[in-house]
Amino acid sequence: MATLIKNAQLVDSFMTLRGDLLVEDGKISAIGSQLHHPQAEIIDAGGHYLFPGGIDVHTHLNIDVGIARSCDDFFSGTRAAACGGTTSIIDHMGFGPTGCDLHHQLHVYQEYAQNNAVIDYGFHGVIQHVDDAILDEMASMVHEEGISSFKLYLTYGYKLNDSDALRAVSQLGKVGALTTVHPENDAAVQLCRQRLLDAGKRSCRYHGQSRPLECEAEAIARMINLARLAGDAPLYIVHLSNGLGLDYIRNAQRSGQVVIAETCPQYLFLDDSCYERPDASKFVLSPPLRPKEEQQKLWAGLQEHSIQVVATDQCSFRYQEQKQPAEADFTRCPNGLPGVENRMPLLFSQGVMSGRISAQRFVELTSYWPAQIFGLPHKGSLKVGQDADLVIFDPNLEQIITHSQMHDLCDYTPYEGINIRGWPVLTMSRGQVVARDGQFVGEKGAGRFIHRRPFKNPF
Ligand code: URP
Ligand code: ZN
Ligand code: ZN
C-alpha cells in the first residue's frame, strides 16, 4: 500500500525541503520533488508543514496513584495524542505492589496497552526499591525487554534514599540504561507542607507553596552529583519547572556530564496564578506551577539547547469526580494534568509561530531528540527507511483551545481559552492516517510495542 504526500514543506532536524514524500508499507520510501507512484493514494499537503510525528516521552496512562486512577487509559490517551500530532509515547509505569520485581509492572503495562493503544508505545521502568535482586534484574529489562530507561523518585511513597539512588543510577549506567529522575527534596517538601497545614492553609490554593522550587533545584543538584559519583552515569531530569534547577543542569553540561533536561508545556504556558482560581485543584501537580518569571528562563533553555525535550507528563484526573472533591485539601488531591493532545499545537504556535524557536528546533524538541535519547532508531526523522509516522501542520489554522474539542476522557483542559495559530490537520502512524481535521480515524489496538535500544549518548 502506497501513499504519496505532495506539495509539502518537509522539515526535520536535518533539512527543510519543499517537495513530496512517498510512503510504502508503513515506511518512508522516497523524498523529492515531483514524485510519482501509479497506485499511490495522493494526499495534497497544500504547502503546509510536514514533520516527523511527535514523540511524547512522559505520559502516565491508566496509572493508579493510590488515591485515584487517571481517567485516560491507553486507548483514550493515545487517541488524544494522535489527534494532537503525536505518533509515539513512552509511558512511565506506575508503582506495583511493595517488593515487586521490575518485570512485574512490565507485564501489567503490556496488558494495559496491547489491543488499546492507537499509536506505538514503549515504557520506562520504575525503581521503587533497591536490593541486589533488583540491581541484577536491570540488564535483562534493557537487553531482553527493550526497557532502556527507568525512573526513580526522590519524593512520594516509593522515594529512594541517597544511597539507593546512587546504587540504582550506577547500575543503570553500567547496563546501558538511562536514569530518569523526579527530583524534589522530600524532607523539605514535608516541612513546608506541615507548616502550611499547621497554619490552616490546606486548600489547593496552597499547593504551589508546599513544594517551593528550591526543593526541586536541590534534588536536581544532588542527583547530578550522584550520577557523577556513579562514574558519570547518564541522567535525564524530567519535568523541569524552573531556572535555578536549569542553572545546575547547564553547569553539569558545560563540564561534559551527560545530563539531559525535559520541560513540559504547563511550565512554559501556565503559572502559579492558577492557584488563586476557585478551581485551583485542576492545576495540582508536582512540581507545581511556578511564578511567571520562570517561564522565560525555560524558553532560554530551549533556545540555547540546554533543555533537549518537551514532553507532557500527561496524567489526567477528572475535575468533577476526582479533583474538585479535594479542593479544600491539597494533600488529598490527585496530582497531574492532561495535555498529551495540546503539546504539539502549543509549542508550534507559541514557539514557532511566535518566532521563539525555528521549525527545525520544534522537531528536535518534540520528536528528534526524544527518539535519539530513548533509543527509537526508526522514528523522529524524515529519512528513507524510517517509520512513516508523520504530521501535517497548517500554520494558517487559528483556533482557541477548548475542552469540547479534545479526544481524552477528562472533563477539562488546563489550556482552555489559549489561542493557537497552527494546528495538526493530519497524523499518520506507520503509514495509516489516524487523525484528520480534528477527528480520530485510527483503530483501537493498532499501536505496537517499541522494543527500545540501550542508551547511547547522542550528543
Ligand atoms: O503531578 C504529577 N506530575 N503527576 C504525575 C507523576 C509525576 O510525578 O510525574
Ligand atoms: Zn514526576
Ligand atoms: Zn510524570
Side-chain angles (χ1 to χ4, degrees):
M1 191 192 147
T3 306
L4 181 55
I5 303 177
K6 293 200 73 71
N7 189 23
Q9 183 67 35
L10 290 86
V11 179
D12 74 359
S13 57
F14 300 99
M15 55 125 194
T16 66
L17 174 84
R18 186 76 180 206
D20 309 337
L21 182 146
L22 181 63
V23 175
E24 288 177 287
D25 301 324
K27 303 258 181 212
I28 299 173
S29 62
I31 290 172
S33 55
Q34 309 292 327
L35 295 183
H36 293 283
H37 187 290
Q39 279 95 42
E41 183 200 332
I42 307 285
I43 293 175
D44 184 351
H48 301 327
Y49 285 107
L50 176 59
F51 298 127
I55 302 173
D56 188 344
V57 296
H58 191 157
T59 63
H60 300 272
L61 300 180
N62 202 27
I63 191 171
D64 180 357
V65 295
I67 53 174
R69 183 176 285 276
S70 63
C71 61
D72 282 293
D73 61 13
F74 278 82
F75 174 52
S76 66
T78 56
R79 177 181 62 190
C83 292
T86 288
T87 50
S88 304
I89 60 160
I90 307 181
D91 197 82
H92 282 280
M93 298 177 200
F95 299 127
T98 301
C100 69
D101 64 16
L102 298 176
H103 282 77
H104 182 280
Q105 287 305 86
L106 176 58
H107 298 141
V108 169
Y109 270 70
Q110 292 284 21
E111 281 291 308
Y112 286 170
Q114 66 197 6
N115 305 320
N116 282 315
V118 308
I119 54 173
D120 293 350
Y121 57 92
F123 305 115
H124 305 278
V126 61
I127 311 290
Q128 59 187 70
H129 74 283
V130 177
D131 58 21
D132 289 345
I134 292 288
L135 295 172
D136 284 347
E137 197 186 351
M138 287 172 176
S140 67
M141 288 287 280
V142 177
H143 298 284
E144 288 161 33
E145 310 290 0
I147 307 297
S148 54
S149 53
F150 291 78
K151 187 171 183 188
L152 45 92
Y153 292 80
L154 302 184
T155 187
Y156 299 157
Y158 283 108
K159 60 187 167 292
L160 297 190
N161 62 35
D162 293 346
S163 77
D164 285 346
L166 177 56
R167 291 212 292 164
V169 69
S170 171
Q171 180 68 1
L172 288 170
K174 281 185 194 138
V175 301
L178 178 62
T179 300
T180 80
V181 62
H182 175 127
E184 285 187 291
N185 180 320
D186 189 68
V189 166
Q190 293 311 326
L191 183 63
C192 295
R193 180 188 251 221
Q194 197 52 53
R195 283 180 177 152
L196 288 165
L197 299 180
D198 290 348
K201 296 177 172 176
R202 190 173 269 274
S203 76
C204 288
R205 181 186 184 92
Y206 299 104
H207 172 71
Q209 294 175 37
S210 76
R211 310 178 89 93
L213 66 82
E214 291 79 3
C215 298
E216 182 187 350
E218 185 282 329
I220 289 172
R222 184 163 22 117
M223 271 315 294
I224 286 173
N225 284 305
L226 293 180
R228 195 182 183 99
L229 197 55
D232 266 338
L235 182 67
Y236 180 96
I237 307 295
V238 302
H239 50 44
L240 175 72
S241 73
N242 72 86
L244 182 59
L246 180 57
D247 287 342
Y248 292 122
I249 291 167
R250 264 196 207 107
N251 194 41
Q253 290 169 345
R254 281 193 195 121
S255 77
Q257 217 180 321
V258 182
V259 177
I260 305 165
E262 162 201 291
T263 192
C264 309
Q266 55 270 32
Y267 304 118
L268 295 168
F269 304 113
L270 304 174
D271 62 65
D272 63 359
S273 64
C274 292
Y275 297 123
E276 286 156 28
R277 294 171 41 153
D279 56 355
S281 63
K282 286 180 178 171
F283 303 92
V284 167
L285 85 165
S286 298
L289 302 179
R290 301 303 189 191
K292 198 163 184 56
E293 60 263 26
E294 298 306 314
Q295 293 178 352
Q296 198 36 50
K297 300 175 191 171
L298 297 175
W299 278 105
L302 296 177
Q303 288 159 343
E304 76 193 14
H305 296 223
S306 47
I307 300 175
Q308 293 79 16
V309 175
V310 176
T312 58
D313 196 9
Q314 152 83 28
C315 188
S316 50
F317 298 98
R318 287 176 62 83
Y319 177 61
Q320 240 187 347
E321 299 91 346
Q322 297 180 292
K323 286 212 174 236
Q324 204 224 0
E327 201 68 67
D329 184 352
F330 68 82
T331 69
R332 288 196 306 110
C333 186
N335 279 218
L337 304 182
V340 75
E341 190 166 354
N342 308 115
R343 176 184 71 130
M344 300 281 282
L346 276 168
L347 198 67
F348 182 78
S349 174
Q350 314 291 336
V352 181
M353 297 301 282
S354 303
R356 285 167 158 144
I357 56 172
S358 67
Q360 281 192 296
R361 185 77 188 128
F362 168 77
V363 173
E364 286 180 358
L365 292 164
T366 56
S367 184
Y368 176 72
W369 284 125
Q372 295 294 307
I373 294 164
F374 288 101
L376 313 175
H378 306 298
K379 302 198 185 276
S381 299
L382 301 180
K383 278 194 182 143
V384 170
Q386 287 255 306
D387 286 352
D389 285 5
L390 306 166
V391 58
I392 298 177
F393 258 80
D394 177 355
N396 306 314
L397 193 57
E398 191 165 340
Q399 260 170 37
I400 288 173
I401 295 181
T402 180
H403 182 260
S404 60
Q405 286 169 7
M406 301 291 104
H407 297 81
D408 58 16
L409 294 180
C410 201
D411 58 353
Y412 76 100
T413 164
Y415 306 106
E416 185 78 34
I418 296 183
N419 191 42
I420 295 292
R421 276 191 305 150
W423 283 88
V425 290
L426 184 140
T427 311
M428 191 179 261
S429 165
R430 278 182 285 97
Q432 298 295 320
V433 177
V434 289
R436 194 192 284 267
D437 298 326
Q439 301 297 319
F440 174 65
V441 296
E443 199 188 313
K444 189 175 181 182
R448 289 189 196 148
F449 174 68
I450 309 169
H451 190 283
R452 293 186 291 122
R453 299 231 171 125
F455 177 77
K456 206 167 137 226
N457 182 4
F459 302 106

